[in-house]
């Protein structure tokens, strides 16, 4: 079970809701993924225009927890404003802090991310900050009281997979809160790898929403994450430089 601030989830796949070809495919993909946590960008919600189409209308929100994110924020102040707006709309108490510090890489601004996390924790939110794969920053976010850390595998939407498995494994080793690998996952292999490294969960969006068949890819990601987790729990064999026979002859009479 994935446990975030005392709340338990069977699914270890957190799914983004942006960039699907249409709401129907999005709904089917969400169902196929069996995700229990869906993230969406507060800034893109039609909070002020309830007559406009809204992805929430298509989702069974009794079955899922919503994780609004503060994408679009460039400062802690903006991120806090987005979070408060989401909470005032009655959508959640969980928030994914996303404060972007670089337009080219969409990497998070570490200083503003720390500030926003601190402020939102004071406000009583369950705070899940998106961070780079910086080991020290992940530790500082946890020390502040973040309820999970979400290191990026690679730049958002790049589909490059896990660029720095070493850093991710350091973050996983040191963290007592859940580590949710977020952003840059391109294929089921990447998602399984994150889980085999020992991540508690994976958050992804583009790999599913922009796949040729998003519904099939949602299933592939669900299965990959389950397989990766099982593999982690089963503990893989060590890698060796030389061969060892799979059917040893020792002890046989002929
Ligand atoms: C939806 C969301 O929260 C994204 O900002 C997230 O980081 C996913 O990234 P990918 O689209 O690369 O999976």
């Amino acid at each position: 079970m994935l446990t975030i601030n005392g709340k338990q989830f069977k699914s270890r796949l957190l799914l983004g809701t942006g960039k699907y070809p249409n709401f129907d495919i999005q709904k089917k993909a969400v169902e196929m993924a069996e995700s229990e946590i869906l993230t969406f960008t507060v800034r893109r919600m039609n909070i002020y225009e309830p007559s406009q189409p809204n992805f929430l209308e298509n989702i069974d929100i009794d079955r899922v927890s919503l994780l609004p994110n503060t994408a679009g924020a460039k400062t802690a102040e903006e991120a806090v404003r987005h979070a408060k707006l989401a909470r005032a709309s009655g959508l959640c108490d969980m928030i994914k802090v996303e404060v972007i510090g670089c337009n080219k890489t969409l990497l998070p601004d570490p200083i503003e991310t720390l500030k926003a996390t601190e402020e939102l924790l004071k406000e009583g939110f369950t705070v899940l900050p998106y961070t780079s794969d910086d080991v020290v920053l992940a530790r500082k976010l946890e020390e502040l009281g973040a309820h999970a850390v979400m290191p990026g595998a690679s730049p958002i939407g790049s589909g490059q997979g896990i660029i720095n498995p070493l850093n991710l494994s350091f973050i996983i080793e040191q963290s007592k809160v859940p580590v949710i690998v977020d952003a840059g996952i391109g294929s089921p292999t990447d998602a399984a790898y994150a889980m085999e490294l020992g991540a508690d969960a994976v958050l992804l969006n583009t790999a599913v929403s922009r796949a040729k068949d998003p519904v099939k890819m949602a299933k592939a990601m669900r299965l990959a994450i389950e397989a990766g987790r099982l593999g982690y729990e089963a503990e893989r064999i060590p890698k060796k430089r030389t061969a060892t026979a799979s059917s040893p002859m020792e002890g046989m009479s002929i």
Side-chain angles (χ1 to χ4, degrees):
M1 286 281 205
L2 169 67
T3 307
I4 302 173
N5 197 15
K7 195 161 175 193
Q8 293 197 313
F9 303 93
K10 266 193 264 157
S11 166
R12 293 176 183 272
L13 168 56
L14 288 72
L15 198 62
T17 54
K19 304 192 289 195
Y20 286 83
N22 57 54
F23 280 150
D24 183 46
I25 293 180
Q26 182 197 52
K27 180 178 171 18
K28 288 187 179 132
V30 165
E31 283 167 5
M32 188 57 90
E34 295 179 13
S35 292
E36 292 169 289
I37 302 179
L38 298 181
T39 187
F40 63 93
T41 303
V42 178
R43 216 180 52 156
R44 294 181 66 86
M45 287 286 295
N46 292 313
I47 287 171
Y48 300 113
E49 292 184 60
S51 60
Q52 291 299 305
N54 182 332
F55 88 92
L56 290 174
E57 290 163 19
N58 296 299
I59 307 287
D60 180 1
I61 51 174
D62 293 334
R63 204 189 61 73
V64 294
S65 294
L66 296 174
L67 176 63
N69 65 65
T70 64
K74 295 213 161 118
T75 62
E77 200 186 329
E78 280 180 289
V80 170
R81 206 172 330 121
H82 292 191
K84 286 184 175 170
L85 192 59
R87 185 155 70 180
S89 313
L91 293 175
C92 65
D93 282 317
M94 281 204 291
I95 189 81
K96 173 182 157 183
V97 171
E98 186 169 324
V99 189
I100 298 300
C102 166
N103 287 339
K104 182 173 174 184
T105 60
L106 296 183
L107 282 169
D109 182 322
I111 295 159
E112 296 299 308
T113 299
L114 275 171
K115 277 196 218 159
T117 299
E118 189 168 25
E119 183 59 31
L120 290 167
L121 286 167
K122 276 192 212 143
E123 296 278 344
F125 283 86
T126 295
V127 186
L128 291 75
Y130 161 62
T131 119
S132 63
D133 57 18
D134 182 319
V135 181
V136 179
L137 180 60
R139 177 167 50 75
K140 295 209 170 204
L141 286 164
E142 179 168 354
E143 283 167 1
L144 270 183
H147 298 95
V149 286
M150 307 182 85
S154 53
I156 294 173
S158 71
Q160 288 198 44
I162 298 174
I163 286 181
N164 195 335
L166 185 66
N167 270 20
L168 277 187
S169 67
F170 286 141
I171 293 174
I172 289 163
E173 263 167 48
Q174 76 183 8
S175 300
K176 294 193 178 57
V177 293
V179 177
I180 302 170
V181 172
D182 175 7
I185 296 293
S187 71
T189 309
D190 303 332
Y193 187 24
M195 297 307 294
E196 281 192 65
L197 285 173
D200 296 278
V202 168
L203 188 154
L204 57 88
N205 188 157
T206 311
V208 167
S209 65
R210 287 293 160 97
K212 193 166 172 201
D213 185 336
V215 181
K216 207 174 257 184
M217 186 58 84
K219 180 173 181 181
M221 289 298 186
R222 164 165 59 83
L223 295 175
I225 286 167
E226 281 173 19
R229 179 67 191 184
L230 280 175
Y232 170 72
E233 287 173 358
E235 294 187 20
R236 59 154 297 152
I237 57 165
K239 289 187 186 178
K240 291 194 291 189
R241 288 185 67 238
T242 53
T244 318
S246 301
S247 310
M249 299 302 281
E250 290 96 54
M252 298 207 42
S253 54
I254 45 164

